[in-house]
Amino acid sequence: IHWVMTRRQLIALAPALLLPSCSSGPAVPAAPEKPAEPLTGLHALYQLYTSARAWAQDLQILSYSSINISEVPHQDGKVAAWQVVFVSQALGKLRTYTFSAYEASATLHKGIFEDAPQDWSGSGKPFLLEAVKIDTDKAWETALEHGKEYNSKNPKMPISYTLGMNKGNDPSWRVIWGQSAGESSFSVLVDASTGDFMQIVN
């Protein structure tokens, strides 16, 4: 009887005996968060399109542009954030979506965010995603071939991108030396369907 009682006491005490060994170990540090990585325009656009399909099935692209964020340096053909305006003819609405690799501000959050739909009069020249076959890394290579001299004179100038019906029947990438087309004195148009050089815009 004495042996049985002692054994029961040991079993009852076992959790308490184990506690010090469990709690005395060093704390495991949390894994550091990976730095934000910029994205190519078409890679971000696919994700934005997939998200927007929950709103409308007949999506077309009205405009698309990059957003530079100082905390995430751009790479060749890659930018930290992108903004697209989709339109739906069936709904008669447009809607703006943003994708950011970095939590930049109260209005530019990390991930995909959408604004409320707005009425669309049918203005502009929307186009289908299927018409865009060339990504911004390839557009940058083509633009640089025709802008080497300007780029060498302005090596630290930010590079921006827009996608739209700039000329002809196909959408084109506008590779911009500067924060926006309005502030730039040099940009290059590249056909977004074929990757061909179109023209220099001063």
Side-chain angles (χ1 to χ4, degrees), residues 138-148 150-151 159-163 166 172-178 181 184-192 195-202:
K138 297 301 180 183
W140 164 251
E141 291 177 4
T142 301
L144 187 59
E145 290 176 7
H146 298 270
K148 279 185 179 179
Y150 188 88
N151 189 68
I159 305 298
S160 305
Y161 302 84
T162 61
L163 176 67
N166 297 297
S172 58
W173 289 109
R174 185 170 180 175
V175 183
I176 303 162
W177 275 257
S184 174
S185 59
F186 187 88
S187 59
V188 177
L189 290 182
V190 178
D191 192 303
D196 294 337
F197 165 76
M198 295 175 67
Q199 71 178 75
I200 292 174
V201 182
N202 297 113

Side-chain angles (χ1 to χ4, degrees), residues 15-171:
L17 293 171
L18 290 172
L19 283 174
S21 62
C22 293
S23 60
S24 62
V28 179
E33 187 176 350
K34 292 182 178 179
E37 290 285 344
L39 300 144
T40 61
L42 195 53
H43 179 71
L45 185 57
Y46 281 140
Q47 297 188 55
L48 289 161
Y49 183 86
T50 300
S51 178
R53 289 271 290 179
W55 167 62
Q57 295 295 305
D58 63 331
L59 293 175
Q60 289 184 289
I61 301 161
L62 186 62
S63 64
Y64 186 50
S65 57
S66 63
I67 303 172
N68 285 303
I69 299 174
S70 59
E71 290 86 354
V72 186
H74 70 82
Q75 300 174 11
D76 292 350
K78 297 181 180 181
V79 178
W82 297 87
Q83 183 177 79
V84 64
V85 178
F86 288 119
V87 295
S88 167
Q89 292 186 354
L91 299 175
K93 301 282 186 180
L94 62 80
R95 197 169 191 181
T96 302
Y97 286 75
T98 57
F99 181 96
S100 179
Y102 184 80
E103 187 76 15
S105 67
T107 56
L108 185 57
H109 299 285
K110 183 178 181 180
I112 295 175
F113 286 84
E114 69 277 351
D115 291 344
Q118 300 179 25
D119 291 336
W120 175 52
S121 64
S123 61
K125 295 181 179 180
F127 53 93
L128 296 172
L129 175 63
E130 289 79 2
V132 186
K133 298 179 175 65
I134 303 301
D135 208 343
T136 45
D137 53 350
K138 297 301 180 183
W140 164 251
E141 291 177 4
T142 301
L144 187 59
E145 290 176 7
H146 298 270
K148 279 185 179 179
E149 183 178 352
Y150 188 88
N151 189 68
S152 63
K153 293 178 180 178
N154 303 274
K156 295 183 179 181
M157 185 171 286
I159 305 298
S160 305
Y161 302 84
T162 61
L163 176 67
M165 299 296 290
N166 297 297
K167 183 181 180 182
N169 298 320
D170 292 326

Side-chain angles (χ1 to χ4, degrees), residues 1-6:
I1 294 173
H2 177 73
W3 178 84
V4 172
M5 291 295 292
T6 303

